[in-house]
C-alpha cells in the first residue's frame, strides 16, 4: 500500500509529525470503518468476565493478551488537533489502526502491528528547544501538534469514565430500580472498570516498562490487585509489579564440570536490599526521565517496598513494587473466585461501595479495614453459605495439577487454574438474601475469639493480639488486617447491625403510581445503606452534649435499633 504524493503533502501541511509513505487512502477509509465498528461495539461496555467460547480464560491468558495489545499502542495528547478524522488519517500513515478511543485531550491508539510503532517513531519530531532543555528520552507518550491555525472552541471533549459516579447520583439511580437484586447489578455496572480503563492501565504499565527496559531488558511490568482481579472500581489505584524473574538466576542449572561463563553482577546482603535498590534506581529514572510521572515518593522501608507516583496523562495513582509474587497469586485467586459465580463480584462491589460510603474503608492507609481484607471477608461469607457458593482454597489446591504447583518463599501458593475442574454446589440464594445475610453474619461474628480463614473455609481459633484476624491466604502466619484497631472493628460491626436492620425495613420498591409525572424519588433498599449512618449521627450529637453515660457499643447499638424499630412500627400503624 502506497500513499499518493498529493495526499501525503496535504497531510504535511497540517501536522508537524509526518511521513510520506505507507498506506493509501482506500485503506485509511477501511481502517476508519474498522475503528468505527469497534467503537460502536465496544466503547462504553463494561469489563465483566472475559470468557472464551469453551469456558473461562485464566488471568494469565488475559494479561498476556492485554500486554501484547499495549505494546502495539501509543498514548497521544492532542491539544491542537482539528478533528478525529484527520487525526486518524494522519496516524494511518504508519500502519493499520486496530482500535482507538479518546478521553479528555488524550487518545489511545492501538496499531495492528508492533512495527507501526517503530515507523511512527521515525516520523516523530523531538520538541524544538525553547526556554527549557529536553531530557533525551523517547517514549510512546506523544503529542500531536497542528501547525495550521485552528478554532478549537467547538471541539467536543470526550470523557473516559475514570471515576465512579458521585454517590448522590448513584443513590438516586438505585432508588429507581425495581428490586434489590437490580439495585446491586446496577451498582456493579456503575462502578466496575470499563474496557477503556482496563486498556489504559495495561498501556501505562507498558509505557513504564520502556523506562525500565534500558537497565533490565528482560523485565515486564504487570498490573495486579484490583486493576485486574475483577473487583476494580473506577478510579482505583494502579498496583504494578516489576517482574525480573527472567534474570533472577533462581532456576539456573550450573554445569557439574568443565568451563562455563557467568555474568558479573553486583551483590547485596539480602533479597530485600536488592529489591530496595532496584526500586530506588528505577524510581529515580522515572522521576527524572519518565514523561508524565509526577509526585514520586520512594517508600522503601515498608513491608513491601514500593515507589508511589501519579501518572498524569492517565490520572492513575501508581504503586510500583518488585519481588511481590505472593500478591500476584492473591490477585489470581481473587480473579478466579470472581469468575466462578457472578454473585461473588456483585456482592463484593456492593459491600465495597457500602464500606466506602460509610467511611469503613478509606483511600489512605490507616487503622481501617482495607478493600483487600473486606473482599476476603465477603469470600469467607460465601464459603460459609449452605450449600457454599464458592469452594475453599484447600479444595482448589487439591484440584491442582502438576502445572499449577507454586511455592513462593516457602509458602504453598498452589491452586487449580483449570476452571473446568471446579464443580460448584447448587446454591440458589438471591443477591438480596446474600446481602442481608452478609450483614447479619458479621453483625454477630465472634471477632474476639475467631479468625477468618478462606484456606479452610471455616472459622479458626484466633491467635491473641489483633482485634481483627484474617489469615493471609498464602503467607498463613500473617494477618492481612493487622492494621485494624478496636475502634474501626467496632464501627464495622455496628454498621453491619444497622444495615442489617435498615435493609429488612426497606426491602420493597415503593409503588410508582400516583405521582402524575412528578419525579419523586423514595430512597429504599441498597440506596438507603449508602446514606450516612443514622446511628452515628445520633451518637455524635449525644457525645457533643456530653450528658450520656458511657455504655458498651454493642448494647448502645442494640438499644438504638430497638427504638428505631419502635418508631418505624408507630409510623406504619398511623
Ligand atoms: P483497591 O486498590 O483498594 O481497589 O484494592 P486492591 O485489592 O488493589 O488493594 P491494594 O491496592 O491495597 O493491594 C493490592 C493487592 O495487593 C491486593 O489485591 C492483594 O492482592 C495484595 N495485598 C494487599 N494487602 C495485602 C496483604 O495484607 N497481604 C497480602 N498477601 N496481599 C495483600
Ligand atoms: Mg489497589
Amino acid at each position: 500500500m502506497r500513499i499518493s504524493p498529493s495526499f501525503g503533502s496535504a497531510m504535511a501541511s497540517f501536522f508537524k509529525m509526518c511521513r510520506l509513505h505507507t498506506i493509501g487512502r482506500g485503506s485509511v477509509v477501511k481502517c476508519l470503518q474498522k475503528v468505527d465498528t469497534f467503537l460502536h461495539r465496544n466503547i462504553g461496555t463494561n469489563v465483566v468476565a472475559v470468557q472464551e467460547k469453551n469456558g473461562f480464560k485464566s488471568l494469565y491468558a488475559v494479561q498476556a493478551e492485554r500486554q501484547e495489545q499495549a505494546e502495539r499502542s501509543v498514548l497521544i495528547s492532542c491539544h491542537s488537533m482539528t478533528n478525529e478524522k484527520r487525526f486518524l488519517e494522519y496516524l494511518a500513515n504508519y500502519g493499520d489502526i486496530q482500535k482507538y478511543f479518546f478521553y479528555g485531550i488524550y487518545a489511545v491508539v492501538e496499531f495492528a502491528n508492533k512495527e507501526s510503532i517503530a515507523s511512527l517513531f521515525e516520523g516523530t519530531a523531538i520538541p524544538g528547544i525553547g526556554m527549557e532543555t529536553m531530557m533525551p528520552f523517547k517514549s510512546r507518550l506523544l503529542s500531536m501538534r497542528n501547525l495550521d491555525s485552528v478554532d478549537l472552541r467547538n471541539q467536543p471533549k470526550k470523557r473516559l469514565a475514570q471515576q465512579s459516579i458521585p454517590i448522590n447520583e448513584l443513590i438516586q439511580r438505585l432508588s429507581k430500580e425495581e428490586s434489590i437484586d437490580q439495585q446491586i447489578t446496577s451498582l456493579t455496572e456503575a462502578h466496575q472498570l470499563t474496557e477503556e480503563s482496563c486498556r489504559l492501565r495495561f498501556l501505562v504499565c507498558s509505557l513504564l516498562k520502556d523506562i525500565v527496559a534500558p537497565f533490565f531488558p528482560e523485565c515486564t511490568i504487570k498490573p495486579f490487585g484490583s486493576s485486574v482481579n475483577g473487583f476494580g472500581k473506577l478510579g482505583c489505584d494502579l498496583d504494578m509489579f516489576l517482574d525480573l524473574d527472567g534474570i533472577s538466576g533462581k532456576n539456573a542449572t550450573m554445569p557439574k564440570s568443565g568451563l562455563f561463563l557467568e555474568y558479573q553482577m553486583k551483590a547485596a546482603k539480602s533479597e530485600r536490599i536488592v529489591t530496595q535498590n532496584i526500586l530506588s534506581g528505577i524510581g529515580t529514572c522515572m522521576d527524572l526521565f519518565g514523561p508524565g510521572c509526577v509526585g514520586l515518593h520512594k517508600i522503601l522501608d515498608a513491608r513491601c517496598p514500593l515507589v508511589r507516583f501519579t501518572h498524569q496523562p492517565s490520572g492513575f495513582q501508581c504503586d510500583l513494587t518488585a519481588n511481590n509474587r505472593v500478591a500476584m497469586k492473591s490477585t489470581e485467586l481473587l480473579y478466579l473466585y470472581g469468575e466462578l459465580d457472578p454473585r461473588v463480584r456483585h456482592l463484593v462491589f456492593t459491600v465495597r461501595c457500602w464500606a466506602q460510603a460509610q467511611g469503613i474503608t478509606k483511600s489512605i492507609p490507616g487503622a481501617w479495614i482495607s478493600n483487600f481484607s473486606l473482599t476476603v471477608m465477603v469470600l469467607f461469607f460465601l464459603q460459609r453459605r449452605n450449600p457454599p457458593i464458592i469452594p475453599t482454597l484447600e479444595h482448589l489446591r487439591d484440584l491442582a495439577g502438576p502445572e499449577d504447583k507454586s511455592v513462593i518463599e516457602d509458602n504453598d501458593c498452589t491452586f487449580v487454574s483449570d476452571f473446568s475442574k471446579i464443580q460448584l454446589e447448587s446454591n440458589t440464594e438471591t443477591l438480596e438474601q446474600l446481602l442481608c445475610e452478609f450483614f447479619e453474619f458479621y453483625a454477630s461474628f465472634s471477632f474476639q475469639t475467631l479468625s477468618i480463614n478462606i484456606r479452610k473455609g471455616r472459622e479458626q481459633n484466633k491467635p491473641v493480639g489483633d482485634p481483627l484476624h484474617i489469615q493471609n491466604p498464602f503467607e498463613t502466619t500473617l494477618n492481612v488486617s493487622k492494621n485494624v484497631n478496636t475502634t474501626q472493628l467496632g464501627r464495622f460491626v455496628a454498621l453491619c447491625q444497622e444495615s442489617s436492620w435498615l435493609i429488612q425495613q426497606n426491602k420493597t420498591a415503593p409503588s410508582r403510581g400516583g405521582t402524575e409525572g412528578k419525579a419523586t424519588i423514595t430512597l429504599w433498599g441498597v440506596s438507603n445503606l449508602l446514606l450516612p449512618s443514622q446511628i452515628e449521627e445520633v451518637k455524635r450529637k449525644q457525645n457533643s452534649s456530653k450528658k450520656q453515660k458511657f455504655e458498651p457499643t454493642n448494647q448502645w447499638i442494640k438499644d438504638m435499633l430497638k427504638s428505631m424499630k419502635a418508631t418505624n412500627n408507630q409510623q406504619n400503624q398511623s
Side-chain angles (χ1 to χ4, degrees):
M1 290 178 289
R2 294 281 157 213
I3 195 163
S4 72
S6 61
F7 182 56
S9 49
M11 300 293 296
S13 67
F14 292 135
F15 298 113
K16 197 169 175 183
M17 304 190 294
C18 189
R19 287 173 58 78
L20 300 181
H21 63 281
T22 62
I23 300 178
R25 191 178 269 279
S27 62
V28 170
V29 172
K30 229 168 69 192
C31 142
L32 290 174
Q33 282 165 349
K34 242 191 273 173
V35 280
D36 278 352
T37 318
F38 164 76
L39 277 181
H40 190 68
R41 274 190 289 119
N42 294 306
I43 299 297
T45 56
N46 287 322
V47 176
V48 189
V50 186
Q51 289 186 0
E52 276 183 332
K53 268 188 197 149
N54 301 322
F56 297 95
K57 243 186 200 178
S58 71
L59 180 58
Y60 182 78
V62 173
Q63 282 196 311
E65 196 178 290
R66 289 208 180 271
Q67 261 165 29
E68 193 275 326
Q69 284 168 355
E71 281 169 17
R72 291 185 270 113
S73 305
V74 286
L75 180 54
I76 306 180
S77 115
C78 326
H79 285 278
S80 52
M81 207 184 79
T82 48
N83 67 49
E84 200 168 312
K85 189 164 168 274
R86 282 171 66 189
F87 171 79
L88 290 169
E89 281 173 346
Y90 176 78
L91 289 173
N93 281 310
Y94 299 103
D96 285 341
I97 297 173
Q98 188 141 334
K99 284 157 191 172
Y100 78 92
F101 60 87
F102 285 92
Y103 68 95
I105 57 158
Y106 290 96
V108 172
V109 179
E110 181 190 317
F111 286 97
N113 299 301
K114 215 174 160 185
E115 293 71 49
S116 304
I117 303 284
S119 161
L120 185 71
F121 272 7
E122 276 179 39
T124 299
I126 291 171
I129 294 172
M131 294 294 284
E132 293 173 323
T133 309
M134 303 298 154
M135 287 286 175
F137 178 79
K138 293 178 182 173
S139 81
R140 281 178 288 137
L141 176 58
L142 307 168
S143 296
M144 177 66 88
R145 304 273 180 221
N146 190 341
L147 298 181
D148 295 346
S149 59
V150 283
D151 183 358
L152 297 170
R153 275 172 305 181
N154 297 325
Q155 194 172 303
K157 287 268 178 294
K158 301 198 175 173
R159 207 175 67 87
L160 171 67
Q162 290 276 41
Q163 297 296 332
S164 311
I165 60 170
I167 191 83
N168 289 350
E169 252 176 64
L170 178 70
I171 289 175
Q172 292 201 4
R173 190 192 285 190
L174 299 190
S175 296
K176 291 181 196 153
E177 297 292 349
E178 302 285 321
S179 68
I180 290 187
D181 278 45
Q182 280 178 16
Q183 286 188 323
I184 293 178
T185 314
S186 172
L187 181 146
T188 310
E189 280 166 8
H191 278 346
Q192 68 194 350
L193 295 182
T194 57
E195 168 69 18
E196 296 99 315
S197 184
C198 260
R199 279 175 182 271
L200 191 55
R201 283 165 191 269
F202 276 86
L203 177 53
V204 170
C205 289
S206 178
L207 296 178
L208 296 174
K209 189 218 144 163
D210 289 350
I211 302 173
V212 181
F215 303 95
F216 303 106
E218 286 156 76
C219 77
T220 49
I221 293 188
K222 294 174 182 165
F224 72 98
S226 60
S227 294
V228 284
N229 67 15
F231 302 115
K233 188 165 165 285
L234 284 167
C236 68
D237 65 356
L238 173 56
D239 302 295
M240 291 173 288
F241 165 64
L242 172 68
D243 189 352
L244 291 163
D245 251 24
I247 41 176
S248 71
K250 272 180 199 149
N251 304 321
T253 44
M254 286 299 193
K256 300 252 167 30
S257 60
L259 294 179
F260 73 99
L261 285 171
E262 65 177 17
Y263 294 100
Q264 287 198 15
M265 290 176 164
K266 274 203 162 176
K269 280 193 180 133
S270 69
E271 201 159 344
R272 182 174 167 83
I273 295 176
V274 172
T275 304
Q276 287 171 328
N277 290 346
I278 290 173
L279 285 174
S280 178
I282 284 170
T284 303
C285 284
M286 282 180 176
D287 202 15
L288 295 179
F289 311 126
C293 300
V294 299
L296 188 136
H297 294 283
K298 297 174 185 177
I299 309 171
L300 302 176
D301 288 333
R303 188 178 81 83
C304 180
L306 64 105
V307 172
R308 177 165 289 170
F309 58 95
T310 302
H311 185 258
Q312 221 168 26
S314 61
F316 295 140
Q317 163 81 41
C318 300
D319 279 352
L320 177 69
T321 58
N323 196 14
N324 193 12
R325 306 199 70 78
V326 178
M328 283 302 284
K329 273 307 210 189
S330 319
T331 301
E332 229 179 281
L333 180 69
L334 262 51
Y335 171 84
L336 184 147
Y337 276 130
E339 291 289 281
L340 288 181
D341 187 304
R343 288 171 294 179
V344 178
R345 201 171 269 133
H346 285 310
L347 200 62
V348 170
F349 269 102
T350 308
V351 170
R352 277 189 174 206
C353 185
W354 163 81
Q356 188 188 23
Q358 298 300 344
I360 293 169
T361 52
K362 294 194 187 352
S363 56
I364 47 169
W368 26 86
I369 300 176
S370 69
N371 273 326
F372 179 62
S373 297
L374 202 59
T375 306
V376 177
M377 288 171 97
V378 176
L379 297 178
F380 181 72
F381 161 74
L382 293 172
Q383 290 174 333
R384 298 298 287 143
R385 303 310 299 151
N386 188 13
I389 292 181
I390 50 171
T392 66
L393 178 52
E394 272 186 355
H395 181 68
L396 296 178
R397 187 206 51 205
D398 295 343
L399 294 174
E403 68 286 359
D404 298 321
K405 192 163 172 55
S406 167
V407 177
I408 302 169
E409 290 153 20
D410 297 332
N411 299 300
D412 183 8
C413 301
T414 305
F415 60 91
V416 66
S417 59
D418 179 356
F419 290 75
S420 67
K421 288 187 189 165
I422 305 168
Q423 297 291 317
L424 297 176
E425 301 200 44
S426 71
N427 175 309
T428 54
E429 285 174 294
T430 61
L431 289 168
E432 176 188 319
Q433 284 169 319
L434 290 172
L435 186 63
C436 296
E437 294 285 336
F438 172 86
F439 291 130
E440 275 191 27
F441 183 80
Y442 284 114
S444 55
F445 191 87
S446 179
F447 287 105
Q448 290 92 334
T449 55
L450 299 176
S451 159
I452 290 164
N453 185 320
I454 61 164
R455 181 162 274 277
K456 295 203 176 301
R458 56 176 189 273
E459 296 82 358
Q460 301 288 291
N461 286 333
K462 194 178 104 169
V464 278
D466 308 322
L468 174 60
H469 195 278
I470 303 174
Q471 193 198 58
N472 187 319
F474 298 117
E475 295 162 293
T476 53
T477 54
L478 301 180
N479 172 12
V480 298
S481 53
K482 199 170 175 51
N483 59 314
V484 178
N485 66 16
T486 315
T487 312
Q488 290 303 321
L489 178 62
R491 284 197 69 232
F492 172 76
V493 173
L495 285 161
C496 281
Q497 289 169 344
E498 182 185 348
S499 300
S500 161
W501 180 79
L502 265 179
I503 201 154
Q504 294 295 339
Q505 306 307 305
N506 298 282
K507 265 186 177 174
T508 346
S511 80
R512 306 246 182 268
T515 54
E516 288 171 8
K518 279 190 186 162
T520 49
I521 292 173
T522 313
L523 303 186
W524 70 281
V526 177
S527 50
N528 251 343
L529 304 180
L530 306 179
L531 293 172
S533 157
Q534 298 174 27
I535 293 175
E536 293 212 324
E537 181 58 17
V538 177
K539 202 173 165 190
R540 194 184 57 75
K541 282 186 188 150
Q542 285 180 345
N543 280 346
S544 64
S545 75
K546 291 183 183 158
K547 283 182 186 155
Q548 290 291 315
K549 73 175 193 321
F550 176 80
E551 288 174 40
T553 317
N554 276 356
Q555 190 51 47
W556 188 92
I557 299 282
K558 276 179 197 158
D559 293 346
M560 176 51 72
L561 287 174
K562 241 192 235 165
S563 86
M564 282 168 74
K565 234 180 211 169
T567 319
N568 201 50
N569 286 343
Q570 274 173 11
Q571 278 170 358
N572 287 346
Q573 281 161 13
S574 63

